[in-house]
Amino acid sequence: MKKHLMYFILCMMPYVFFAQNESRNVDLDAVVVLDQMGETIGELTSVSFHLSVANDELNADHNMVKRYKEHDVKMVGPDKMLVKSHSMGRNRGYWYNGDHITYYAFDENNYITIPAPTNIIEMIDFMNEKFDMDFPAADFFYPSFTDDVLEAFNTISYKGEVELGGQPCYLIHAENDSKLVQLWVTADAYTLPKNFVITYKKEGNKQYQATFSDWELNPEIPENIFDFTPPYNARLISVLLAKS
């Protein structure tokens, strides 16, 4: 039934886009790739991947420099997530077990545990809204990802099949007045995100680039790794600053 429904949706798409996007430039081929990627991710019961990030930032001298971060992410749906992030001078982790989320600073050896919503998506929204905390590549795991892209960008185009790191990929561009997003999606049976670059056109064309690697789809992940155990002499933080 699901496959038949998808076939019906794909057949109807050209008519829907013609009616709703006469004043926009939306490429149906790009939307199909985004939907295929979303379907692959949406059917996962668990996942593990690595994300390498290079982010342009202004230093103390107001010069643009790149800051690098590495993230290791493990998730078991719908309510388990572990993120360990490493960068120069800052190493931290998040443990979420469906009931609480713990933030731990490796360098300071301190942590805080707070109650959290009962699924990953709601937890991410909660932490972002209340504490301004972002999680690596979280947008890709929202069921509404394709719809969110369609709503946010005036132009969405399919640039064809290209090679990235020796792997064939579909290249998609999405653009509005303030951002240009380039997304590479693997041109294989999995259609997983490979790389994306966000260019902020109104901020000196600064860029955020992220590369996915080491994908493991539906791995067996012991649930006890999502429960935080404080290291020896770790200090409990009494307050996590909320977003003003």
Side-chain angles (χ1 to χ4, degrees):
M1 176 63 71
K2 184 174 183 180
K3 297 300 183 183
H4 291 306
L5 178 60
M6 180 58 66
Y7 176 77
F8 173 76
I9 291 172
L10 291 176
C11 288
M12 290 299 297
M13 269 183 171
Y15 304 100
V16 173
F17 277 100
F18 181 79
Q20 296 183 352
N21 295 282
E22 294 182 46
S23 62
R24 306 174 67 213
N25 183 10
V26 177
D27 192 328
L28 178 59
D29 289 334
V31 176
V32 170
V33 171
L34 293 176
D35 278 339
Q36 289 173 343
M37 181 184 70
E39 185 175 3
T40 296
I41 291 174
E43 291 180 349
L44 295 174
T45 57
S46 62
V47 68
S48 175
F49 63 89
H50 183 84
L51 191 73
S52 298
V53 172
N55 190 31
D56 289 336
E57 296 180 4
L58 290 176
N59 63 12
D61 299 321
H62 299 285
N63 295 318
M64 197 79 77
V65 296
K66 286 199 179 292
R67 307 293 188 192
Y68 298 94
K69 297 179 182 179
E70 304 291 333
H71 305 281
D72 289 299
V73 181
K74 297 183 186 298
M75 289 190 285
V76 174
D79 58 0
K80 303 284 188 296
M81 184 169 75
L82 170 61
V83 180
K84 292 185 178 179
S85 302
H86 306 282
S87 61
M88 185 174 294
R90 191 178 184 195
N91 302 289
R92 59 202 184 281
Y94 302 90
W95 284 255
Y96 170 64
N97 64 5
D99 186 41
H100 290 77
I101 182 168
T102 297
Y103 166 80
Y104 174 64
F106 287 87
D107 305 298
E108 292 84 11
N109 196 25
N110 56 35
Y111 69 98
I112 185 168
T113 299
I114 60 174
T118 57
N119 67 70
I120 294 170
I121 298 299
E122 291 182 6
M123 180 276 293
I124 290 173
D125 287 341
F126 168 77
M127 294 300 291
N128 179 260
E129 181 180 338
K130 191 168 181 64
F131 301 106
D132 203 21
M133 286 189 177
D134 292 322
F135 293 87
D139 290 348
F140 289 93
F141 292 88
Y142 277 67
S144 59
F145 179 78
T146 299
D147 290 336
D148 294 341
V149 172
L150 288 169
E151 183 177 347
F153 295 93
N154 301 321
T155 300
I156 303 169
S157 54
Y158 174 67
K159 299 298 183 180
E161 191 171 318
V162 299
E163 190 171 288
L164 181 65
Q167 183 171 18
C169 293
Y170 305 118
L171 176 58
I172 294 170
H173 283 192
E175 189 169 5
N176 58 25
D177 291 339
S178 60
K179 295 178 187 175
L180 168 64
V181 176
Q182 299 162 278
L183 171 62
W184 289 258
V185 179
T186 59
D188 55 21
Y190 297 109
T191 54
L192 290 167
K194 172 77 172 177
N195 188 73
F196 67 96
V197 178
I198 304 173
T199 301
Y200 297 90
K201 298 190 291 185
K202 295 183 178 180
E203 300 180 45
N205 286 328
K206 77 174 186 179
Q207 291 188 330
Y208 177 98
Q209 179 173 352
T211 302
F212 292 87
S213 61
D214 301 333
W215 282 99
E216 293 184 44
L217 307 184
N218 298 320
E220 292 289 336
I221 302 177
E223 290 200 358
N224 61 359
I225 73 167
F226 301 102
D227 295 317
F228 179 75
T229 302
Y232 177 71
N233 281 342
R235 183 168 59 92
L236 178 64
I237 304 171
S238 58
V239 177
L240 185 63
L241 294 178
K243 186 178 180 180
S244 59

